[in-house]
């Protein structure tokens, strides 16, 4: 089913992320939008930010960049993107949903670099425009789900990765998030606990050991990694809970503030967990509590 993306998103502002898109090859590839139970977007050539602002009377000075998941193959754009943005708005937080380029696109020169390039650019754009949205530039975080959690963790640990394209003044702004929330995230690219589909899409089926280590974010934690909130389900059969456990240990070892909530049930991809049995939906209450402490 083909539908108009702009028509679907008419209630919010969508802005292009780049003036000149780096790491780009001109092709006839077209963006794909599939509307089922979840709005899925793939073959993204022009990354964007969709802006959700709370009412002025409820607004705080915090902001969040949202990275939907989808195994680096597609984006679960409403399930782990716009629905999440609305929840943040209910807490007075300005939310920016990132439609980032996926490494399976034919329009990329170096596929594995594109998602991080877009995420760095996104947080820089938000920080540059902080005054416009009433945001404190030192209170801008990132949240990611599944493969989007891997991307958020990559930003949090490798925010100062150098670019190999001609930079604009915007690209000199810090891309470090001030806090991270990682929800059932892919963390490692190592064989033991990785989500092999995400690894294959990001790094290819035969990645070098150097690439595996570079994108195994449990190995990239430093004392400058931002405070982190982790959520996972023990019975996640898609992305093993050891991903969060390993990242927690790395953060704790470096004395980075970290809070983790492991739920017994929930599987993978539960988003807001509204229709889940038990108390899984309370992860949002725990996130709300945590956000008030940082």
């Amino acid at each position: 089913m083909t539908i108009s993306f702009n028509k679907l998103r008419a209630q919010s502002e969508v802005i292009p992320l780049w003036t000149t898109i780096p790491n780009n090859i001109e092709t006839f590839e077209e963006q794909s939008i599939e509307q089922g139970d979840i709005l899925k977007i793939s073959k993204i050539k022009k990354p964007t930010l969709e802006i959700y602002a709370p009412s002025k009377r409820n607004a705080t000075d915090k902001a969040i960049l949202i990275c939907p998941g989808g195994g680096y193959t597609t984006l679960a754009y409403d399930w782990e993107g716009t629905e999440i943005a609305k929840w943040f708005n209910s807490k007075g937080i300005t939310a920016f949903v990132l439609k980032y380029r996926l490494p399976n696109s034919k329009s990329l020169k170096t596929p594995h670099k594109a998602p991080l390039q877009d995420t760095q650019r996104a947080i820089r754009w938000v920080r540059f425009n902080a005054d416009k949205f009433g945001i404190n530039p030192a209170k801008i975080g990132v949240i990611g789900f599944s493969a989007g959690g891997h991307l958020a963790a990559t930003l949090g640990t490798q925010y100062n990765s150098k670019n190999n394209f001609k930079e604009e003044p915007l690209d000199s702004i810090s891309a470090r998030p001030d806090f991270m929330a990682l929800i059932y995230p892919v963390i490692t690219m190592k064989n033991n606990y990785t989500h092999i589909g995400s690894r294959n899409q990001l790094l290819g089926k035969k990645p070098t050991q150097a690439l595996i280590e570079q994108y195994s974010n449990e190995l990239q934690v430093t004392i400058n990694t931002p405070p982190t909130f982790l959520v996972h389900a023990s019975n996640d059969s898609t992305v093993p809970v050891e991903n969060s456990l390993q990242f927690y240990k790395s953060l704790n070892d470096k004395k980075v503030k970290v809070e983790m909530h492991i739920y017994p049930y929930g599987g993978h991809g539960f988003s807001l967990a509204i229709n889940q049995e038990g108390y899984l939906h309370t992860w949002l209450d725990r996130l709300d509590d945590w956000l008030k402490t940082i």
Side-chain angles (χ1 to χ4, degrees):
M1 180 180 180
T2 302
I3 51 181
S4 168
F5 180 71
N6 289 331
K7 189 175 291 186
L8 277 168
R9 307 266 65 86
Q11 79 280 15
S12 57
E13 182 183 2
V14 179
I15 63 102
L17 197 57
W18 301 92
T19 49
T20 301
I21 301 172
N23 191 19
N24 182 60
I25 301 171
E26 286 301 322
T27 69
F28 292 106
E29 186 177 57
E30 293 186 3
Q31 177 176 279
S32 173
I33 301 174
E34 181 183 342
Q35 178 69 76
D37 290 343
I38 297 174
L39 175 63
K40 296 181 178 180
I41 306 178
S42 58
K43 299 180 181 178
I44 296 158
K45 294 177 69 174
K46 296 180 180 180
T48 61
L49 275 178
E50 184 166 4
I51 305 163
Y52 282 77
S55 62
K56 289 186 177 180
R57 290 188 67 178
N58 284 331
T60 68
D61 59 352
K62 288 191 177 86
I64 192 81
L65 176 67
I66 302 172
C67 301
Y72 282 121
T73 302
T74 187
L75 298 185
Y77 193 80
D78 53 358
W79 184 245
E80 295 170 345
T82 57
E83 291 293 296
I84 306 301
K86 294 170 188 175
W87 180 85
F88 276 106
N89 281 177
S90 76
K91 304 301 177 182
I93 298 171
T94 307
F96 299 82
V97 183
L98 176 60
K99 186 179 73 173
Y100 56 91
R101 289 173 294 168
L102 297 160
N104 60 354
S105 172
K106 297 177 181 177
S107 301
L108 300 173
K109 294 178 182 177
T110 309
H112 68 84
K113 291 185 177 182
L116 180 57
Q117 288 171 338
D118 291 348
T119 313
Q120 287 176 307
R121 177 73 170 199
I123 203 163
R124 285 167 171 153
W125 188 94
V126 174
R127 192 158 274 140
F128 180 78
N129 290 282
D131 285 349
K132 174 182 175 181
F133 296 101
I135 294 166
N136 184 330
K139 295 183 181 179
I140 302 170
V142 63
I143 186 171
F145 298 76
S146 192
H150 181 268
L151 179 55
T154 305
L155 178 67
T157 56
Q158 304 182 56
Y159 52 86
N160 55 359
S161 290
K162 300 297 182 184
N163 292 320
N164 59 355
F165 55 83
K166 186 177 181 181
E167 294 187 341
E168 300 177 0
L170 186 60
D171 298 306
S172 65
I173 296 172
S174 171
R176 180 185 181 274
D178 297 298
F179 56 91
M180 290 195 294
L182 309 177
I183 317 304
Y184 42 86
V186 179
I187 292 293
T188 190
M189 291 287 122
K190 292 183 177 181
N191 288 328
N192 50 359
Y193 296 121
T194 193
H195 176 242
I196 195 64
S198 294
R199 190 178 87 168
N200 286 348
Q201 291 297 327
L202 182 64
L203 305 182
K205 292 184 177 180
K206 294 182 179 180
T208 65
Q209 188 61 32
L211 272 181
I212 289 171
E213 292 182 3
Q214 179 184 346
Y215 286 95
S216 290
N217 287 313
E218 76 278 13
L219 303 179
Q220 305 302 327
V221 173
T222 71
I223 59 172
N224 295 317
T225 301
T228 300
F229 179 89
L230 291 157
V231 174
H232 223 115
S234 293
N235 69 337
D236 190 332
S237 60
T238 303
V239 177
V241 68
E242 284 81 2
N243 282 263
S244 285
L245 294 173
Q246 288 185 355
F247 201 58
Y248 177 92
K249 184 178 187 307
S250 294
L251 291 163
N252 198 49
D253 287 348
K254 295 290 186 181
K255 310 299 184 195
V256 176
K257 291 182 180 179
V258 57
E259 181 171 320
M260 179 169 61
H261 295 271
I262 305 296
Y263 290 82
Y265 305 108
H268 188 73
F270 47 76
S271 183
L272 297 171
I274 291 172
N275 294 320
Q276 288 274 355
E277 294 182 4
Y279 54 92
L280 181 62
H281 65 278
T282 63
W283 80 262
L284 291 159
D285 298 325
R286 304 291 73 78
L287 176 59
D288 187 32
D289 291 340
W290 182 76
L291 287 169
K292 291 172 181 174
T293 69
I294 58 170

